[in-house]
Amino acid sequence: YPYLTRTGAIWVGVSTKPVTVNFLRNSWGRPPWPTRNASRYATLAMPFFGQVWDMMTDVGTLLKSGGNAHNPLAGFDVERLVMVGYSQSAAYQVTYANSFHERTRLPDGMPVYDGYFIAAGGARAKSVTGASSATENLPAGDLRNFIHVDAPVIRFQSQTEVVNFPSWTVRQNEAQYPWLRTYELAGGSHVDLWRDVEGGKALTRDLGLPPSFCPAPATAKNPLNTGVYEAAAMENLVRWIKSGVQPPPSRFMALTNTSTGAVALARDADGNVIGGVRPPELRTPIGTYLESNSGPGFCGLYGGFSPFSAARLDQLYRNRGAYVSSFVRGVARAVQEGYLLNTDAEQLRKEMIGK
């Protein structure tokens, strides 16, 4: 969200799952949840999974209807509308882009959504007519799991999703489909420390829950802030939509096979992944960045971090000055390659020099 607020963007959230709608109608504001205006959602109903597609079209159309008094953005000059999603939402985005982008148009013939930012998703998109949790996902290997839409799309994946979800099975690059870029962030995780802390504030404030879905991880939580690299990807998408400026090339992590033949992430001698978008934290590592963790709750989605020993740090960096210089060079390279914005780069440099 720091990128959205500093650029003047407006984020509009849409609840698109029957289970969420049912919760808002039947449980929101009632014990054991914090007291709220329980009657606010009393009339909500979403009996059919397939309503999601009309909901997304109608919301997008409304947001672009400047003269509509019901438009929550009335009075703002909406220039572009990007469908953004993370985790489970990515599966809905792929299906919407493939099946509804061309079919749903505004009165002037322009598309409802100008582009798609699809983040941290898995390998299977949603069925248009899925009637239950057992049938809502397309089968693995279905061609509709791949993106085919004539609109700019950026697919952003952390280290967690590539094998664990497994998004590597639906990899695409610009040579295969020019409207798409795929960025796999080395060292990133589905839930990192920053997202855990910020998300925890909402858990406590809105639901009265403890501030983490992973209260006792086996290893330290991943400190690599995935969000700053998502911000660069989003900025690249906006420029692509607005001015036709081509974004940086796709970047994929290297894969290998285990002794049993299973696909796995290829790693260097320190256990860090090879390839992908290389943040300065991976160019100048002080530990091993892990895609998952273990422990109670949802710790499997949380990344981990195992610091290097003092002896290993001495091997890599003569002293702190050498480490800081190397990190700052890594920041500059990420900016030059287009995977990090200047604003976030400056913050990373300040944090490093101030430590």
Side-chain angles (χ1 to χ4, degrees):
Y1 73 84
Y3 166 78
L4 298 178
T5 54
R6 73 181 184 232
T7 57
I10 298 176
W11 179 85
V12 178
V14 185
S15 298
T16 58
K17 297 184 69 175
V19 65
T20 306
V21 171
N22 291 342
F23 171 81
L24 291 172
R25 183 187 63 239
N26 301 328
S27 302
W28 176 258
R30 299 177 176 86
W33 309 103
T35 301
R36 296 285 192 273
N37 181 4
S39 63
R40 179 178 183 180
Y41 303 112
T43 61
L44 286 184
M46 187 181 175
F48 303 109
F49 169 85
Q51 288 176 269
V52 59
W53 316 118
D54 289 336
M55 291 167 63
M56 293 308 300
T57 297
D58 291 347
V59 168
T61 301
L62 177 64
L63 296 176
K64 279 191 169 181
S65 302
N68 192 323
H70 297 289
N71 183 358
L73 303 186
F76 292 93
D77 184 15
V78 178
E79 298 177 355
R80 289 166 295 279
L81 190 60
V82 178
M83 185 184 287
V84 177
Y86 194 90
S87 192
Q88 293 184 44
S89 299
Y92 293 86
Q93 291 175 275
V94 173
T95 297
Y96 186 93
N98 286 343
S99 300
F100 297 96
H101 180 85
E102 294 298 332
R103 290 183 171 91
T104 55
R105 294 281 157 163
L106 299 172
D108 61 3
M110 297 300 290
V112 176
Y113 293 95
D114 301 294
Y116 300 84
F117 187 82
I118 304 174
R124 297 168 65 185
K126 295 297 182 182
S127 167
V128 170
T129 58
S132 68
S133 59
T135 61
E136 68 179 52
N137 293 315
L138 293 172
D142 193 302
L143 291 178
R144 291 170 293 177
N145 292 322
F146 293 85
I147 297 169
H148 299 285
V149 59
D150 290 336
V153 179
I154 284 183
R155 196 166 203 168
F156 185 96
Q157 304 287 59
S158 79
Q159 192 170 308
T160 307
E161 297 88 41
V162 175
V163 169
N164 291 1
F165 276 24
S167 66
W168 71 269
T169 61
V170 290
R171 279 177 168 176
Q172 294 169 274
N173 60 34
E174 49 271 41
Q176 298 166 309
Y177 203 72
W179 285 108
L180 175 72
R181 298 293 185 276
T182 301
Y183 302 129
E184 296 176 354
L185 179 66
S189 56
H190 197 76
V191 182
D192 55 43
L193 180 59
W194 188 92
R195 190 167 266 126
D196 179 53
V197 170
E198 292 300 310
K201 297 174 184 177
L203 288 177
T204 302
R205 180 194 66 219
D206 297 340
L207 298 174
L209 294 174
S212 179
F213 283 134
C214 179
T219 62
K221 293 174 183 176
N222 191 335
L224 196 156
N225 184 354
T226 302
V228 298
Y229 305 102
E230 290 180 76
M234 176 64 78
E235 178 66 16
N236 288 327
L237 177 61
V238 170
R239 285 198 301 238
W240 195 6
I241 295 169
K242 182 179 179 180
S243 306
V245 177
Q246 293 291 306
S250 298
R251 288 285 182 267
F252 300 98
M253 298 178 205
L255 299 176
T256 187
N257 293 103
T258 66
S259 58
T260 62
V263 174
L265 294 167
R267 304 177 189 270
D268 62 21
D270 290 314
N272 284 312
V273 297
I274 299 169
V277 173
R278 306 298 292 179
E281 293 89 343
L282 266 288
R283 293 191 183 278
T284 312
I286 56 174
T288 303
Y289 292 84
L290 304 169
E291 61 273 12
S292 60
N293 216 313
S294 58
F298 288 89
C299 284
L301 295 176
Y302 285 63
F305 178 73
S306 178
F308 292 157
S309 66
R312 180 56 177 154
L313 290 173
D314 288 341
Q315 288 178 332
L316 292 170
Y317 316 109
R318 300 187 310 277
N319 49 46
R320 173 165 172 75
Y323 165 65
V324 171
S325 296
S326 179
F327 186 90
V328 169
R329 288 194 299 272
V331 169
R333 183 166 177 178
V335 172
Q336 181 183 26
E337 292 176 342
Y339 302 117
L340 181 65
L341 298 177
N342 281 315
T343 300
D344 295 315
E346 183 59 27
Q347 183 62 32
L348 286 175
R349 283 189 287 261
K350 288 180 179 179
E351 291 174 357
M352 177 55 58
I353 294 172
K355 284 183 178 179

